[in-house]
Amino acid sequence: MKESEAAFESKGGKDGKGGKAEGSGALSLNREKLLTAYERNKDIYHNITGDLVVRIEKIFSDFNLNPIVKGRVKSFPSYYSKLKKYMTMNKSKAIVPPINDLMGIRVVFPFRGDVRKAKKIIEKKFSVDEIRQKGHTPYLNNHDTFKEFGYESMHLLIRIPNDILEERGSPESGEIAEIQIRTIMQDAWAELEHELFYKKKNTPLFDKMQRKLAAVSANFFLADSIFDEVRRHQRKLVKQLGKRRETFFQKIEESTDGLLFEYEPNEKPKAAPQEKLPAPVSIDDSSMDTLLLSALTLHNKGSYNDAVAVYGKILDFNPTDAICKIIYKHRGMAHFACSQYELAIEDFTNALKKGEEDYQSAYYRGVVNSVLKNYAQAIDDYTLSLAIYPYQSFCIFRRGQAYYHIGDYPQALADCEASLAMDSQNESAQKFKSLLQDKIKL
């Protein structure tokens, strides 16, 4: 017999089993019996809750998610209070209401998007009996009160997995636990609301205070929405940056590694003819964030001149030096991609002027000078980049190539070996080392 059943008595009489007897049929609570049953099962509750926390952390980790996971067992006073509330609300007084959140797990994520993803994962990994979305999106009208802005939270009632029940035992209260999934902002508001209202439910709040609380709650919701929007934008940006880097580094390899074998020492590659840049593309949202995403997208599609135009439009905003450095660097890459080498050098030089510790721009300028066979300048650029950040195996490798082209084979070999010490899997450097060893033997 379940503890919540054994601890009830019929108001119309007792049948000796705690069940329904003749009379009114209404059930009354027996607090002493409920407490005894609760204490008898308390260790089981805590053990199961701990097991669920560990399992849920592992499940989300497998999906590269790392939320804050906390477990709690409802205290007996809270359990008893909720049972009384449910009994009062229960239309059929002869039915024992289940308390399904006696064992609860709270999962807190930074972003709303994670909550939606987590819900699908829980549904996939557990047997879910019920899903409830508590709270709702706040909206403003003349009838709103702070209660209408209550916290949002995803609540899922799950069946405790059989292997946990076999190890820990089946609790008398039932084999259901609750998982609450929230964002950090939702969790913060829930904690504040609990302290302000739940524990002091009989304290009156008048219109002025209610309006203030409604505004605070709405701001919590707005912050949640903005954080989610910023992350979506960042993910798009990172995706485009990844594509841009891939194509840029491929161009570097084609332009520099090929010079070891394809050109005579006095031959220089020809720059592409200068083209008149088109007018900046039409963009509805002219914020720098949106312009940068647009420029990177054009860049990755191979629309280099259009990308250059949008990068220039960003610079028209007269942004901070830190932003200018980024834009000059990207525009230099676009110029390099379409073989506008002198313009690329100019942009990388401007980037260095905006940030003295910009080792990447120094390296990129060295690459362009290598392509133009300005090897002395390239060596200076690579050396500057390494002075800022020494741990660049590819920069050391490229400098070794430049030394090779001016006939300094020992220094080229020293750089090649230093590069391989950092990255022994670099096949181009391995091939280059063999070439240098043959040259030195001659």
Side-chain angles (χ1 to χ4, degrees), residues 3-9 14 28-41 76-77 79-80 83-84 172:
E3 66 177 74
S4 55
E5 295 174 350
F8 283 83
E9 296 176 350
K14 300 181 182 178
S28 63
L29 298 177
N30 186 316
R31 190 181 189 281
E32 184 178 343
K33 288 184 178 180
L34 282 169
L35 178 58
T36 299
Y38 177 90
E39 292 294 333
R40 185 168 60 246
N41 285 265
F76 178 75
Y79 165 67
Y80 185 61
L83 196 54
K84 288 190 295 182
E172 296 178 36

Side-chain angles (χ1 to χ4, degrees), residues 12 273 323 327 362:
I323 294 176
I327 302 308

Side-chain angles (χ1 to χ4, degrees), residues 70 72 106 108 150-152 180 182-200 220:
K70 297 179 286 187
R72 69 100 182 96
R106 184 175 300 173
V108 181
Y151 80 90
E152 292 185 83
Q180 300 176 0
R182 303 172 179 167
T183 66
I184 292 172
M185 298 304 294
Q186 289 168 351
D187 192 53
W189 175 253
E191 293 292 340
L192 291 169
E193 187 182 50
H194 185 268
E195 288 294 321
L196 289 173
F197 311 131
Y198 184 79
K199 291 183 177 180
K200 301 173 180 62
F220 269 70

Side-chain angles (χ1 to χ4, degrees), residues 92-103:
S92 176
K93 302 300 183 184
I95 298 176
V96 180
I99 305 298
N100 291 319
D101 63 344
L102 209 160
M103 293 169 284

Side-chain angles (χ1 to χ4, degrees), residues 123-395:
E123 288 180 291
K124 182 177 180 181
K125 296 295 184 178
F126 292 93
S127 175
V128 178
D129 272 15
E130 182 181 335
I131 299 174
R132 288 173 290 158
Q133 177 69 53
K134 291 211 171 186
H136 59 83
T137 301
Y139 58 93
L140 289 174
N141 60 48
N142 294 331
H143 304 291
D144 279 337
T145 70
F146 72 91
K147 288 187 180 296
E148 290 175 294
F149 285 86
Y151 80 90
E152 292 185 83
S153 184
M154 184 78 68
H155 291 208
L156 299 95
L157 298 181
I158 65 162
R159 293 202 168 272
I160 300 165
N162 288 331
D163 61 313
I164 294 179
L165 292 174
E166 289 172 3
E167 180 178 356
R168 301 301 187 182
S170 181
E172 296 178 36
S173 61
E175 300 171 356
I176 298 291
E178 181 181 72
I179 299 177
Q180 300 176 0
I181 311 175
R182 303 172 179 167
T183 66
I184 292 172
M185 298 304 294
Q186 289 168 351
D187 192 53
W189 175 253
E191 293 292 340
L192 291 169
E193 187 182 50
H194 185 268
E195 288 294 321
L196 289 173
F197 311 131
Y198 184 79
K199 291 183 177 180
K200 301 173 180 62
K201 61 182 69 176
N202 295 321
T203 304
L205 289 174
F206 298 101
D207 288 348
K208 182 178 180 180
M209 199 59 65
Q210 289 184 11
R211 286 195 297 271
K212 287 184 177 181
L213 290 169
V216 171
S217 179
N219 282 327
F220 269 70
F221 172 79
L222 179 62
D224 237 351
S225 300
I226 291 173
F227 290 147
D228 227 35
E229 181 182 353
V230 169
R231 186 175 71 157
R232 287 196 300 271
H233 177 80
Q234 285 180 326
R235 284 181 167 177
K236 290 179 182 177
L237 202 58
V238 167
K239 182 179 180 181
Q240 295 300 328
L241 284 169
K243 290 181 180 179
R244 191 267 303 150
R245 289 192 186 97
E246 184 178 342
T247 55
F248 179 66
F249 291 144
Q250 182 179 354
K251 170 80 171 177
I252 289 177
E253 289 181 9
E254 292 172 353
S255 301
T256 57
D257 292 354
L259 291 175
L260 293 173
F261 312 104
E262 294 179 2
Y263 297 110
E264 293 298 325
N266 61 350
E267 181 186 354
K268 290 191 176 185
K270 295 181 180 180
Q274 295 283 347
E275 297 180 13
K276 183 178 179 181
L277 295 178
V281 294
S282 175
I283 300 175
D284 294 333
D285 186 345
S286 60
S287 72
M288 285 191 289
D289 286 328
T290 304
L291 287 173
L292 178 57
L293 186 57
S294 175
L296 290 171
T297 302
L298 290 166
H299 194 151
N300 290 330
K301 289 180 178 179
S303 301
Y304 300 121
N305 284 330
D306 284 342
V308 165
V310 181
Y311 288 134
K313 188 172 182 180
I314 297 173
L315 292 172
D316 289 342
F317 279 85
N318 294 317
T320 64
D321 284 353
I323 294 176
C324 282
K325 180 180 72 174
I326 294 171
I327 302 308
Y328 279 129
K329 194 185 306 183
H330 289 322
R331 193 172 70 174
M333 293 178 186
H335 283 310
F336 178 73
C338 56
S339 302
Q340 302 292 347
Y341 300 123
E342 297 298 338
L343 291 175
I345 287 177
E346 182 181 337
D347 273 343
F348 293 140
T349 300
N350 284 330
L352 278 165
K353 290 177 181 177
K354 297 295 183 179
E356 294 180 355
E357 298 300 305
D358 186 4
Y359 69 92
Q360 291 176 323
S361 291
Y363 170 61
Y364 297 158
R365 190 173 67 181
V367 168
V368 181
N369 274 316
S370 289
V371 173
L372 292 174
K373 297 188 177 296
N374 299 327
Y375 296 119
Q377 292 96 317
I379 290 170
D380 288 343
D381 287 333
Y382 293 138
T383 301
L384 172 60
S385 180
L386 290 166
I388 299 169
Y389 184 62
Y391 310 107
Q392 303 177 71
S393 63
F394 273 92
C395 186

Side-chain angles (χ1 to χ4, degrees), residues 256-265 370 373 375-376 378-379 382 396-416 431-442:
T256 57
D257 292 354
L259 291 175
L260 293 173
F261 312 104
E262 294 179 2
Y263 297 110
E264 293 298 325
S370 289
K373 297 188 177 296
Y375 296 119
I379 290 170
Y382 293 138
I396 299 173
F397 172 50
R398 303 294 176 205
R399 188 175 69 175
Q401 287 180 323
Y403 278 121
Y404 169 84
H405 286 297
I406 63 173
D408 190 345
Y409 301 138
Q411 186 58 54
L413 181 59
D415 273 353
C416 184
K431 182 179 178 182
F432 184 41
K433 182 179 178 179
S434 298
L435 172 66
L436 285 166
Q437 289 173 332
D438 291 340
K439 286 281 186 181
I440 291 173
K441 286 179 183 177
L442 294 175

